[in-house]
Amino acid sequence: MRKERRAGWARWGTPEHAKPLPEAVAGLLKQVFEVTPPVAPVAPEAVAVPVSPLSDLALAALAEVVGAEHVSTEIAERAVHATGKSTPDLFHQRSGELPALPSAVVAPADHDQVLALLATCVDHGLAVVPFGGGTSVVGGLTPQLGKPAPHPIGTPATCGTATGQAAVGAYISLDLRRLDRLVAVDPVSRTAVLQAGLPAPRADALLAEHGFTLGHVPQSYEYATIGGFAATRSSGQASAGYGRFDDMVVGMTVATPRGTIATGRAPASSAGPDLRRLFLGSEGAFGVITDVTVRVRPLAAERRYEGWRFASFADGAAAARRLAQDGPRPTVLRLSDEVETMLGATGRGRGDGGCLMVVGHEGASVGHAAAQTAAVLRECGGQELGTEPGEQWAAHRFDAPYLRDALIDAGAFAETLETAAFWSALPGLYEAVREALFAALSVPSMVLCHVSHVYETGASLYFTVVTAYADEPVARWQRAKAAASDAIIAAGGTISHHHGVGTEHRDWFAQEVGPLGVDVLRAVKRELDPAGVLNPGILVEP
Ligand SMILES: Cc1cc2nc3c(=O)[nH]c(=O)nc-3n(C[C@H](O)[C@H](O)[C@H](O)COP(=O)(O)OP(=O)(O)OC[C@H]3O[C@@H](n4cnc5c(N)ncnc54)[C@H](O)[C@@H]3O)c2cc1C
């Protein structure tokens, strides 16, 4: 099976891309926490493997669809497809004790092979987990399977139940990496059709040959894929200017066990409910997205990123709201709270105080827009710091997950969570999440936050938690995350602004949409996936 650049094992990046902690931050860590470097990770070849090989019959059937060279039962290959990249995932990888393990990794070449694979999996009682870049942080790649099959896994069987839920004991990871083409560009309409397995940098490189960009730059940019973005309703760092990924999608082709659905005939339509919206955020539970038609923008000729300082998080948030509601709207707009600003400044060897806002403009010519934005920010009490802090942010925009690796190596536990709410609810939400985290963690901890995405009516809050390693760090984090999630729902926030639901947010998502909402989603799943083979337990309870 062809292997391509992908995220590291038991860490985000590969060792050659490691980033050391700034000395000042490492010093701070030693002062605040009792840091105990963890033991070296178990190799992926050495993970604990349940005794459940696929039957020869099932393996042969999978190979018949995609070719034997595109079906892997190697332990290391299965292990790297078993989880995403949350910190608990990294700890599972380190220990070699994975919560689930696919019986095979299967890489189809095109939409028809995906359809045929789904049919084969239904026939053989195998669940199917679509795998894009493998960067899920909400348990989206770790299905919850039904009762194990009594006979060798993959013996022809009916695996579904009347509720469309799987009663299967094994699953395959359906790796979309071979669906990696730019299918078409329409420069007149400014749209492009991208296959789902294209990693974001490759998609941008292909679009750049035509003078276009997607403008979607999440922090997981290096590894995440086009299909993954659509399946999770991702949001990138330049969402203020380019919009969320949902805003960019004008159409999709989806393979389901019942056949193909193609959505998006026109830029806008009043022909009934929008089926695109049904599949955006469906996280592989309703079908496998095989290509996505996106709106593209001309490559930016100019970019300018600046830093602004505000006296407090509240003052900075008021300025961000003013820009989001009354304009002008920059391309990038981020605001760190006092703690995040302080730690960022410590890393750069400065102690500036207040709250840092990063404001970026991208486009054909940005001077006029930047000047207009600056006038508003000055009126709102902002202090201009020039382009240096903005350029620093841009140069290090993908560093955080590498620093998480360094923190774990140094013996600290670091993880993030995110939410969004209307502007009026935001201050209460911010306080409630911080309080819940500190109360539940009950060991020395730091909680950092920034506003990462703004809308006319509200914004998202992105929290980073760094906490002492101590005993059972994963279990303590899960308790803290549950407390923060309860606080989010109570304070009027959404359980996820851009990470999605997976298994981790499922219970709070059910509270958000209510029992009838869950029933509607179950009904859709039952219709599209009567045997319940697709991503069991992700999005809705099996
Ligand atoms: C360090 C780090 C930083 C991150 N930063 C951001 C950020 O800035 N913004 C953001 O939005 N997210 C972020 N994420 C979350 C994650 O990157 C996104 O959820 C991303 O959209 C997932 O894409 P992927 O290709 O890796 O999908 P995967 O992780 O492979 O899959 C995610 C889910 O979608 C399903 N899926 C994948 N491909 C398909 C398909 N073709 N059809 C149907 N279902 C599919 C999977 O089964 C799974 O349930 C971050 C994650 C990490 C680890």
Side-chain angles (χ1 to χ4, degrees):
M1 175 173 288
R2 183 157 58 103
K3 296 188 175 81
E4 289 179 1
R5 177 172 143 74
R6 63 177 167 214
W9 171 253
R11 51 201 310 114
W12 171 250
T14 47
E16 64 271 22
H17 294 102
K19 298 227 173 345
L21 284 182
E23 260 177 46
V25 173
L28 196 67
L29 212 64
K30 283 209 181 94
Q31 262 175 28
V32 181
F33 305 145
E34 270 179 40
V35 285
T36 355
V39 291
V42 163
E45 298 77 12
V47 301
V49 184
V51 274
S52 65
L54 290 176
S55 69
D56 290 346
L57 205 58
L59 266 180
L62 295 169
E64 196 176 327
V65 176
V66 296
E69 69 277 30
H70 299 298
V71 179
S72 173
T73 52
E74 278 174 37
I75 292 170
E77 187 67 3
R78 290 159 61 194
V80 298
H81 285 78
T83 67
K85 287 289 171 207
S86 69
T87 303
D89 289 335
L90 300 187
F91 274 71
H92 287 309
Q93 292 184 343
R94 291 186 89 96
S95 68
E97 286 166 19
L98 301 170
L101 192 71
S103 296
V105 178
V106 185
D110 56 28
H111 178 85
D112 288 346
Q113 286 194 2
V114 175
L115 279 176
L117 271 181
L118 292 178
T120 304
C121 288
V122 169
D123 285 349
H124 289 266
L126 294 167
V128 182
V129 176
F131 188 99
T135 66
S136 169
V137 282
V138 292
L141 298 162
T142 308
Q144 291 180 344
L145 303 181
K147 291 193 188 82
H151 300 299
I153 305 287
T155 314
T158 48
C159 70
T161 66
T163 57
Q165 301 301 335
V168 290
Y171 71 102
I172 63 156
S173 175
L174 190 158
D175 190 322
L176 286 135
R177 73 176 61 153
R178 292 173 70 209
L179 277 76
D180 62 355
R181 284 189 308 114
L182 167 62
V183 180
V185 179
D186 175 351
V188 176
S189 312
R190 290 197 180 163
T191 63
V193 184
L194 300 167
Q195 283 192 321
L198 264 174
R202 180 84 188 121
D204 264 337
L206 291 169
L207 288 172
E209 290 172 13
H210 298 266
F212 291 116
T213 181
L214 204 47
H216 186 66
V217 194
Q219 200 168 63
S220 52
Y221 181 80
E222 292 161 278
Y223 303 111
T225 61
I226 297 300
F229 293 147
T232 60
R233 299 174 73 190
S234 167
S235 196
Q237 293 168 342
S239 66
Y242 290 98
R244 300 167 58 85
F245 197 75
D246 344 12
D247 301 329
M248 300 173 189
V249 175
V250 297
M252 271 185 289
T253 310
V254 186
T256 82
R258 294 273 315 277
T260 297
I261 293 199
T263 67
R265 280 184 82 79
S269 163
S270 79
D274 187 348
L275 282 180
R276 271 180 311 189
R277 298 269 157 202
L278 193 63
F279 291 101
L280 283 168
S282 61
E283 299 187 23
F286 296 168
V288 181
I289 299 162
T290 55
D291 66 48
V292 184
T293 305
V294 285
R295 162 259 273 166
V296 292
R297 295 253 169 92
L299 278 169
E302 288 185 16
R303 290 165 204 268
R304 180 183 167 90
Y305 304 111
E306 298 167 358
W308 288 75
R309 184 189 299 136
F310 286 86
S312 67
F313 197 41
D315 286 355
R321 175 162 65 87
R322 167 95 181 265
L323 289 176
Q325 292 181 331
D326 300 329
R329 179 82 70 94
T331 314
V332 174
L333 184 56
R334 302 164 67 84
L335 173 72
S336 295
D337 73 353
E338 287 84 351
V339 186
E340 191 172 277
T341 303
M342 187 267 289
L343 275 178
T346 307
R348 291 196 307 276
R350 296 199 326 227
D352 300 333
C355 289
L356 177 70
M357 179 185 277
V358 170
V359 180
H361 288 91
E362 299 178 9
S365 143
V366 299
H368 182 62
Q372 280 186 312
T373 304
V376 173
L377 292 177
R378 261 182 234 113
E379 246 181 65
C380 293
Q383 180 193 346
E384 205 163 347
L385 302 175
T387 52
E388 196 266 342
E391 295 303 336
Q392 278 289 323
W393 169 80
H396 297 283
R397 64 196 297 176
F398 302 127
D399 282 6
Y402 295 94
L403 293 174
R404 175 179 63 165
D405 291 342
L407 281 166
I408 295 174
D409 288 343
F413 186 95
E415 182 56 305
T416 62
L417 65 94
E418 42 79 52
T419 176
F422 295 114
W423 287 111
S424 54
L426 222 54
L429 178 64
Y430 173 72
E431 291 303 337
V433 173
R434 282 173 53 82
E435 274 170 28
L437 286 169
F438 281 122
L441 286 166
S442 69
V443 287
S445 307
M446 286 187 269
V447 178
L448 298 55
C449 181
H450 62 253
V451 169
S452 50
H453 306 270
V454 295
Y455 305 90
E456 269 182 83
T457 53
S460 74
L461 292 176
Y462 187 93
F463 293 89
T464 301
V465 180
V466 184
T467 181
Y469 201 72
D471 291 337
E472 299 193 328
V474 173
R476 185 160 9 84
W477 166 251
Q478 280 162 345
R479 285 194 298 274
K481 177 78 192 284
S485 301
D486 287 343
I488 285 172
I489 297 298
T494 172
I495 193 59
S496 178
H497 169 265
H498 56 262
H499 283 167
V501 174
T503 47
E504 198 170 293
H505 290 155
R506 199 182 57 201
D507 294 348
W508 290 274
F509 172 61
Q511 292 176 47
E512 216 173 300
V513 297
L516 186 54
V518 171
D519 282 352
V520 169
L521 294 175
R522 281 218 179 96
V524 170
K525 181 166 175 63
R526 198 160 52 232
E527 198 58 42
L528 294 169
D529 178 24
V533 295
L534 280 166
N535 255 359
I538 278 135
L539 204 63
V540 285
E541 208 176 335

